[in-house]
Amino acid sequence: MRNRLASMLLAGATLMTAFGAQAAEKVTLQLKWVTQAQFAGYYVAKDKGFYEAEGLDVEIKPGGPDIAPAQVLAGGGADVVVDWLPSALATREKGVPLVNIAQPFKKSGMMLTCLKESGITKPADFKGKTLGVWFFGNEYPFLSWMAHLKIPTTGGADGVTVLKQGFNVDPLLQKQAACISTMTYNEYLQVLEAGVKASDLVTFKYEDEGVATLEDGLYVLEDKLKDAKFKDNMVKFVRASMKGWKWAEENPNDAADIVLENDASGAQTEAHQKGMMTEVAKLTAGSTGALDKADYDRTVKTLLGGGSDPVITKEPTGAFTTEITDAALK
């Protein structure tokens, strides 16, 4: 009798477990880049059970140099992606209807890092120099900035020569370029880790130059938002993700450890990830996840002001919604 009762209890527990697993809604997140503290909030939300508490089973897919989040989304490989607003708006204008549903990053971490020995002390000094620039959608803020400065990107004494930069800092270390693209939380730290002193560098933050554009927002396909169940899942996803981000801000070292635990490549180091998390926390600080319309308008204005070759050619419509964050923040 006792064995039969134990079997019945075990079967019931198994059934409840199976029911719970079945009830959890699957959500796939595609990151913009590899597993690192840039995305700590999502890994924290998964590790700390914030997604599970919302009834979600979230898969986090790392990105990489050959992965374009918008293409993954359009191809059905993800429900939601992390992307930069300039790339998302350019992609939307080309026919892939991306919609921003949340904006965890309040500030931009993008900058140009230059060798002081190049003689560059101000943006006007870029003329005649070679500058490293990321592509694959990351070039848009740079191109807009040069357009605002009225500096051609076609070379020559009055323009700049654009070096298509890989996702490393080699062009600066090898002096192939006077300046390279860096993020405050990643490549800049790599330059310092390579032995270059901060005193030997000059940096220009896009935020300080008045051409900062929004980075690391959450995007979905417009048609998906017609589905009430999908919208409900996104509300839960955003709410849990922002809990993850706020926890990461308050516990940067522990958040970095969680990221390292999820790094299947084993390529990241503890020191770099902890340094990265400290800098990333400065960019998410003050954000509730809701898109600030003023920040959005500033980005659009910057992208439209691209001279004869603007990043986008017209004011976007329907490129963001506050419905998800309005519900998530209640």
Side-chain angles (χ1 to χ4, degrees):
M1 183 70 176
R2 195 177 305 152
N3 289 339
R4 184 180 175 189
L5 179 60
S7 297
M8 289 174 64
L9 289 172
L10 179 60
T14 302
L15 185 62
M16 288 297 292
T17 300
F19 177 77
Q22 184 180 11
E25 293 287 335
K26 180 79 173 178
V27 172
T28 301
L29 169 68
Q30 174 64 62
L31 303 180
K32 185 174 175 62
W33 193 238
V34 299
T35 300
Q36 58 183 22
Q38 177 184 357
F39 311 108
Y42 309 111
Y43 287 110
V44 167
K46 187 174 177 71
D47 182 83
K48 293 296 176 183
F50 299 155
Y51 291 135
E52 185 179 6
E54 293 282 359
L56 300 179
D57 175 15
V58 175
E59 177 187 4
I60 303 174
K61 297 171 70 172
D66 300 320
I67 297 174
Q71 291 180 9
V72 175
L73 192 65
D79 298 298
V80 56
V81 301
V82 177
D83 207 348
W84 290 1
L85 185 56
S87 176
L89 292 181
T91 300
R92 184 178 177 84
E93 190 167 288
K94 291 173 184 174
V96 181
L98 298 185
V99 177
N100 179 297
I101 61 167
Q103 187 59 47
F105 275 44
K106 176 69 175 171
K107 294 183 178 180
S108 166
M110 195 172 188
M111 60 183 183
L112 280 181
T113 295
C114 311
L115 291 170
K116 186 175 287 186
E117 66 184 51
S118 69
I120 295 174
T121 60
K122 57 187 181 300
D125 297 332
F126 293 151
K127 294 179 180 180
K129 301 295 195 297
T130 296
L131 308 182
V133 179
W134 294 317
F135 279 73
F136 302 102
N138 302 313
E139 72 273 22
Y140 299 131
F142 171 81
L143 296 175
S144 291
W145 186 15
M146 293 304 106
H148 281 273
L149 293 173
K150 294 182 170 54
I151 298 178
T153 56
T154 51
D158 293 324
V160 297
T161 298
V162 173
L163 173 67
K164 194 171 183 179
Q165 182 184 332
F167 294 96
N168 56 57
V169 298
D170 292 348
L172 193 75
L173 300 180
Q174 298 170 8
K175 300 184 179 181
Q176 299 168 340
C179 311
I180 61 170
S181 298
T182 61
M183 303 303 290
T184 56
Y185 53 79
N186 194 5
E187 291 78 15
Y188 179 72
L189 299 181
Q190 291 177 20
V191 173
L192 299 181
E193 289 164 2
V196 181
K197 296 179 181 178
S199 58
D200 292 329
L201 299 170
V202 178
T203 59
F204 299 90
K205 293 183 178 180
Y206 283 59
E207 195 84 41
D208 296 338
E209 299 298 327
V211 289
T213 55
L214 287 173
E215 300 161 0
D216 287 56
L218 292 171
Y219 296 84
V220 302
L221 290 176
E222 189 169 0
D223 284 351
K224 288 280 192 175
L225 292 171
K226 297 175 184 176
D227 183 333
K229 186 63 178 177
F230 179 84
K231 285 175 66 175
D232 185 53
N233 284 344
M234 289 302 101
V235 169
K236 295 174 180 177
F237 174 77
V238 168
R239 183 162 51 224
S241 294
M242 290 313 300
K243 286 181 181 178
W245 275 117
K246 295 304 136 181
W247 193 96
E249 285 177 22
E250 295 169 3
N251 305 275
N253 286 344
D254 291 338
D257 287 338
I258 289 172
V259 170
L260 288 166
E261 290 169 5
N262 284 276
D263 176 29
S265 71
Q268 306 293 359
T269 67
E270 180 179 359
H272 187 73
Q273 289 308 301
K274 289 186 175 179
M276 183 184 291
M277 186 61 239
T278 297
E279 292 300 318
V280 166
K282 297 175 184 178
L283 307 182
T284 59
S287 173
T288 62
L291 175 69
D292 186 313
K293 184 61 162 54
D295 293 340
Y296 173 85
D297 289 342
R298 179 195 67 204
T299 296
V300 169
K301 183 179 178 180
T302 298
L303 300 180
L304 284 169
S308 60
D309 188 24
V311 175
I312 54 176
T313 61
K314 57 187 177 182
E315 187 88 22
T317 58
F320 73 92
T321 179
T322 62
E323 280 190 282
I324 303 302
T325 48
D326 285 348
L329 295 172
K330 282 182 179 178

